[in-house]
Every structure is written in structure tokens, then in C-alpha cells.
Amino acid sequence: MNRLLDRETMSQLLAKREAPCLSLYQPTHRSFPERQQDPIRFKHLVRELEDSLKQQGRGDQAKALLKPFHDLIDDPDFWNSNRDGLAVFAATDYFEVFRLQRSVPELAVANDRMHLKPLLRIAQSADRYQILAITLDSVRLFEGNRDGVDEVRLGENVPKTVEEALGRELTEKGQTGFPQGYSRASERGDPMQVESGGAGRQDEIDRDRERFFREVDRAILEHHSRKSRLPLILAALPEHQFHFRKLSHNEFLLPEGIENDASLLNHDELRQKSWMVMQPRYIKRLEGFINQYGESRGQGLATDQLEQIGQATLEGRVATLLVEAERRIPGVVDKEQGKAVAVEDDSATTPDLLDELTIWTLEQGGEVISVPTERMPTESGAAAIYRY
């Protein structure tokens, strides 16, 4: 049910425009008894959605649109797998659920478009990464940030064990080599290897390991890394680190890894070890954007003025937009004119300028980076770096 926050998912949500669009956010809890309150809070928010639809004269659509929400309320298995936050989106013939690794404020909105800012802020955060945990017995993938890690369901074509990867070509247990001096690799069409005295079992096992690592590397790159475009940390024993890296073609694989069998680590230990790898890169990446903003501003190719950013996004000139995490700036917007003006009105229906500028930039092919308040280089809540 849960989907990755990858580019494909974001593009689908950004393209969703058929009104009414329902957006629901709430914090959730991983452990008992705190999570007992989660379905109760969810039910309350669903009721707010229903009231909002009725107030908008769309009460006749409420029953069909809210049915999948009500199905979740009555699903105990759903509430036993909580993470730290929940985002649910619905429209005609559309329903999507995201379990989030960060808590989000409660919000229930029925509007002409999806309310995506909380989700985009998480998806665009520069601290996200994935962990490939591999042994000769198993393959697991995790996604994490500074706050936590969670296991990701592997794609259908990603082998989970060496047996799945090699099938009938896996060396049989007890195999002692081939008296004719040729390994089974030659029979499979692999480069022929001649070994004095016959290929021993260890040689066969080593070749199985290479074939296994090659297949895992190919499948993870094709079905996960290219979609998420997240940095990939390898968690494996030291002797496997060398062999996997030697064979890997994954450009997202980081040179630093976790030299442990991840199956012996709990999630918090895995998070601590992976964040030790990621933190220096995260800080360096943020500093790179901030330095680039400073240099570009000196050349007249950057601004922190919201109205100017709105106009620049309309013209497709914003290459990178830095937005202050967790900040909301109510305003008046007009996408056709690129208008984004802050106002004093802070009602629930007033658009958030940072939300609008984020979406406009992504729609124009720009990159958006969510920046913690303490590292934001401007006081306006946004900083745009222009393409030209």
C-alpha cells in the first residue's frame, strides 16, 4: 500500500488536478499503546473532510470519495504498521497512502488540488538515503534519514537470496570440483577458466558470489536507485564490501559503507551507523547549495524575494529553490502571472507561498531543497538560484 517518495510518485501527485482533491496528514506512532489513538484521530480528520465537502456543495460526492478512508479506519492491520506520520490523498478513481518517516501536523483539506507541501518537504530533504544490506544469504533494502530507517519492499525482479539469483546454476552443496579441469562456468558460457588439478569448490563458491553480486547490483540499480536517485550505503561484511564494489555499476553507491552484517543490527543501530556515513555528505551538500546561492547572488543570478521567485518560475529560470523547512507564509498566488505576494490572512484556505513556489519549480524541472531553519541562508523563507 505504501509507496516510495520518488520522482515518479511526485510527478503523479503534481499532475493530479481533478477536483475535489482530498489531502489528509496526521502524526502516527510506531509502538503500543500510543498508536491506539491513531485511528481515532484519523476518524476525526475524515469527518472534517466530509464537513468540508458538504460546505463546498460537494456532499453528493462524499460517500464515494471517503469510502477508502472508512475502510482504513476498520483495518486493524493497517494501524499496527505505523511509522511516524501518515499522508493520504484521494480524488475520483484515485487513492494513495504514504507512511512517513517524519511526523507531520494534523491537516484535512478538500480543495481543487492536492495539498502537497508536507510531503514535498520530506521528499525534497537532502538527508534521505538508502541502505543495501547484503550477505550471501539475504538481500534487504532500507530507506532512512537522520531520524530513522525503515525496510523497503524489494522490487519483484530483485533477488532476495543467492538461490533466487542463480537458481539451478548455484553450486551444489558438497561440490568438490571438476576432474577435467574446467569449472561449470565454461558450461554456462562464462569465460573459461582452467585450473591445475581441477576447479575446487571454493573457486565455484567465489564465482557464485560474483554472479550473485552482479545480479543484485543490476537489479537494485534498475528497480530502486534510478527511481529514487538517493545515495546508497552498502552494509556488508568487510570481505564482501571489496568484492561488491569491484563489480558494482551503481553510480549512487557511496564509497563509504557499514562494515557489518546488518541482520545483527537493530533499526536504531543501523540508523546511527548510516547517519555517520551520511551526515558529512549532507552538511557538505547543503553548504554547496548555500555557497552557490551566495556566488550567484553576487552575479545577479539569485534572489530571496518571493515575488521575483514567482516570476522567475513562470519563465522557467529557477534551477534550484531552497525553502525553509516547517515554515508557512500565507499569500496570494496567481500561477498564470507568476504572482506570489505575502498577506496577513492566515486562514486554513489561504495558499502557502512556499508550497506554491515549490510546486511551480518542480513543474518547470527545477530542483527543490528543504533546508533546516538554522542553515537557511535567507530570512524570507526561500532562496532561488537562476539558470540564467
Side-chain angles (χ1 to χ4, degrees):
M1 183 177 290
N2 196 45
R3 292 188 58 183
L4 289 176
L5 296 179
D6 56 24
R7 290 196 173 197
E8 180 182 351
T9 302
M10 291 297 105
S11 297
Q12 291 177 0
L13 283 169
L14 288 168
K16 205 70 183 177
R17 290 292 184 270
E18 185 177 356
C21 297
L22 308 184
S23 308
L24 184 154
Y25 292 88
Q26 75 167 92
T28 51
H29 303 84
R30 294 174 183 255
S31 59
F32 183 86
E34 290 82 1
R35 67 177 179 230
Q36 282 184 302
Q37 293 298 315
D38 294 340
I40 298 172
R41 296 303 309 160
F42 183 79
K43 187 175 183 178
H44 176 73
L45 291 168
V46 173
R47 192 176 300 123
E48 288 187 19
L49 288 175
E50 183 175 5
D51 291 343
S52 181
L53 287 170
K54 290 178 179 176
Q55 291 171 7
Q56 296 172 27
R58 291 164 165 166
D60 58 323
Q61 296 176 268
K63 183 176 180 180
L65 287 171
L66 295 176
K67 183 181 183 306
F69 289 85
H70 288 294
D71 291 343
L72 288 185
I73 294 174
D74 299 326
D75 184 353
D77 291 339
F78 176 82
W79 298 104
N80 285 334
S81 304
N82 287 342
R83 293 183 181 174
D84 302 304
L86 183 69
V88 186
F89 303 97
T92 301
D93 299 324
Y94 181 83
F95 186 73
E96 198 74 71
V97 176
F98 297 88
R99 299 186 192 274
L100 308 176
Q101 291 181 312
R102 288 205 166 103
S103 183
V104 287
E106 282 188 359
L107 184 69
V109 178
N111 213 326
D112 291 341
R113 55 187 289 180
M114 304 296 186
H115 182 75
L116 297 178
K117 185 180 72 177
L119 193 69
L120 289 170
R121 295 289 177 87
I122 294 173
Q124 301 305 125
S125 178
D127 68 348
R128 297 175 63 208
Y129 58 88
Q130 290 186 329
I131 305 167
L132 173 60
I134 187 169
T135 68
L136 294 182
D137 297 321
S138 70
V139 179
R140 302 171 73 191
L141 187 68
F142 297 84
E143 183 170 325
N145 55 41
R146 77 186 92 174
D147 300 321
V149 296
D150 290 290
E151 189 161 1
V152 174
R153 181 180 298 177
L154 290 172
E156 291 183 0
N157 295 316
V158 179
K160 301 174 185 60
T161 64
V162 65
E163 288 83 3
E164 282 190 21
L166 303 187
R168 297 177 61 184
E169 295 182 351
L170 177 65
T171 299
E172 297 176 4
K173 292 182 179 179
Q175 173 70 43
T176 57
F178 295 87
Q180 70 272 30
Y182 296 93
S183 74
R184 296 194 322 177
S186 62
E187 299 169 359
R188 295 191 295 255
D190 293 348
M192 186 180 296
Q193 299 189 33
V194 181
E195 301 177 15
S196 175
R201 183 168 184 270
Q202 186 58 49
D203 297 319
E204 283 292 311
I205 292 173
D206 290 344
R207 277 189 283 275
D208 283 350
R209 180 187 58 200
E210 286 193 8
R211 292 164 61 81
F212 175 47
F213 284 177
R214 285 184 198 279
E215 180 60 22
V216 171
D217 182 65
R218 181 200 63 75
I220 290 292
L221 176 61
E222 179 179 345
H223 298 288
H224 292 281
S225 292
R226 282 183 178 149
K227 292 180 178 178
S228 70
R229 304 188 67 80
L230 294 176
L232 182 67
I233 298 172
L234 178 63
L237 293 172
E239 59 268 34
H240 295 158
Q241 292 268 350
F242 169 78
H243 291 292
F244 189 91
R245 294 178 184 283
K246 182 178 67 175
L247 300 168
S248 177
H249 294 283
N250 192 328
E251 64 266 33
F252 300 96
L253 181 65
L254 299 184
E256 306 89 356
I258 301 171
E259 296 189 345
N260 295 92
D261 180 347
S263 66
L264 303 179
L265 304 174
N266 61 39
H267 278 203
D268 192 54
E269 291 171 333
L270 188 59
R271 181 197 63 79
Q272 291 180 37
K273 288 182 177 295
S274 56
W275 187 239
M276 287 178 65
V277 174
M278 272 301 298
Q279 186 177 34
R281 290 180 168 272
Y282 166 70
I283 293 174
K284 184 176 181 179
R285 186 172 183 230
L286 277 186
E287 289 178 344
F289 285 122
I290 293 168
N291 291 337
Q292 185 183 0
Y293 169 75
E295 293 172 3
S296 298
R297 186 165 187 177
Q299 299 167 356
L301 293 173
T303 184
D304 64 346
Q305 300 301 302
L306 301 183
E307 293 184 51
Q308 294 179 18
I309 294 173
Q311 189 63 39
T313 55
L314 177 67
E315 298 166 355
R317 290 194 291 126
V318 176
T320 304
L321 178 66
L322 309 180
V323 293
E324 185 175 334
E326 311 301 333
R327 184 168 175 182
R328 183 177 186 277
I329 302 177
V332 176
V333 296
D334 185 328
K335 183 180 176 182
E336 300 302 320
Q337 298 182 9
K339 180 181 178 182
V341 181
V343 298
E344 295 296 327
D345 178 20
D346 193 18
S347 65
T349 57
T350 305
D352 177 7
L353 293 188
L354 298 184
D355 193 9
E356 297 295 326
L357 293 174
T358 293
I359 293 172
W360 295 356
T361 300
L362 291 172
E363 288 177 339
Q364 293 288 342
E367 184 175 21
V368 178
I369 304 296
S370 181
V371 181
T373 300
E374 65 273 17
R375 294 187 179 276
M376 192 67 199
T378 68
E379 296 183 356
S380 69
I385 302 170
Y386 295 155
R387 292 189 172 96
Y388 55 89

